[in-house]
Amino acid sequence: MFNIDLLINALTTLLVTLDPPGLAPIFLSLTVGMSRQERFQVATRGSLIAFFILAAFALFGNGILGLLGISIGAFRIAGGLLLFWISFEMIFERRQERKEKTGETAVTKDHIHNIAVFPLALPLIAGPGAISATILLGSSFPSVVERAQLLVVIAASMVLLFLALVISERIDRFLGVTGRAILTRLLGVILAALAVQFVLDGVRSAFLV
């Protein structure tokens, strides 16, 4: 079954959670001193690793919850609350500060060729919010065909994120400090609304079925 509304909702949720424009300046700080080709390689590797991480949770996340005895309703409520907290941080600029601190710490500890894995793929791209959102979305795509569609959505979001990293210098110059602040807050409000919807769906699933 092809549900265009569900697919658009999934893509919107992932893009807002991943926050490509907000990640662009952090990517620049992580790759300072690198050539354009080296940045391209880091962006490619980081995006691919993050895709496989999110794809694994999209395919097997519900199975893991089942083994742990956690209902999808309970996870929707918990995941929705987590996403709401992330949206709160985005609106009040706390998420950006935390990401920048994570990036700065990793650069001092790891060699430059490893930053595609940490902190870029984990936790900056495939962080707790993105993983939670992916598992939540996976419950809305139960059949094999629908799961394949979800994987396509994840791949599309990763391609858009990858493009944002590749043109991160231009995005950072175009948005500026004020533009990034406005966009981050706007995305935070959208994510807050999506998070509330996840909680409502979880309550309905847990208590009204």
Side-chain angles (χ1 to χ4, degrees):
M1 182 181 293
F2 185 79
N3 190 329
I4 186 66
D5 291 335
L6 192 59
L7 293 175
I8 292 175
N9 179 271
L11 182 62
T12 302
T13 301
L14 284 174
L15 286 178
V16 171
T17 307
L18 293 172
D19 187 19
L23 192 57
I26 300 170
F27 176 74
L28 285 177
S29 68
L30 286 174
T31 57
V32 63
M34 289 189 182
S35 66
R36 184 169 297 180
Q37 183 179 3
E38 289 170 335
R39 281 179 174 160
F40 183 86
Q41 292 174 351
V42 171
T44 302
R45 189 180 180 198
S47 299
L48 284 174
I49 293 171
F51 167 76
F52 286 116
I53 291 172
L54 294 182
F57 278 99
L59 294 174
F60 307 113
N62 287 339
I64 295 173
L65 292 180
L67 289 175
L68 296 175
I70 302 173
S71 70
I72 192 59
F75 191 83
R76 279 178 174 171
I77 295 172
L81 293 175
L82 174 61
L83 293 179
F84 189 83
W85 175 253
I86 291 174
S87 70
F88 178 84
E89 289 186 324
M90 291 173 69
I91 293 171
F92 292 98
E93 287 288 308
R94 295 182 181 178
R95 192 186 189 205
Q96 194 77 1
E97 294 174 4
R98 177 166 49 82
K99 280 187 171 184
E100 288 171 355
K101 288 179 181 178
T102 302
E104 291 170 1
T105 302
V107 170
T108 60
K109 290 183 178 178
D110 296 335
H111 296 295
I112 238 168
H113 63 274
N114 287 329
I115 66 174
V117 181
F118 178 86
L120 185 57
L122 275 169
L124 293 181
I125 300 178
I131 291 173
S132 299
T134 301
I135 297 178
L136 290 171
L137 292 170
S139 65
S140 302
F141 294 81
S143 70
V144 175
V145 175
E146 289 174 328
R147 286 292 170 87
Q149 293 174 2
L150 178 57
L151 291 181
V152 171
V153 170
I154 295 174
S157 64
M158 282 298 130
V159 169
L160 293 174
L161 176 67
F162 167 75
L163 293 176
L165 297 182
V166 170
I167 61 172
S168 55
E169 291 183 66
R170 296 180 183 178
I171 292 176
D172 194 45
R173 283 200 304 266
F174 176 76
L175 290 177
V177 177
T178 303
R180 285 199 306 272
I182 294 173
L183 185 60
T184 298
R185 284 174 169 82
L186 178 61
L187 293 176
V189 172
I190 295 173
L191 183 59
L194 291 169
V196 171
Q197 187 61 55
F198 278 131
V199 172
L200 292 176
D201 291 343
V203 171
R204 189 180 300 113
S205 174
F207 299 109
L208 301 181
V209 176

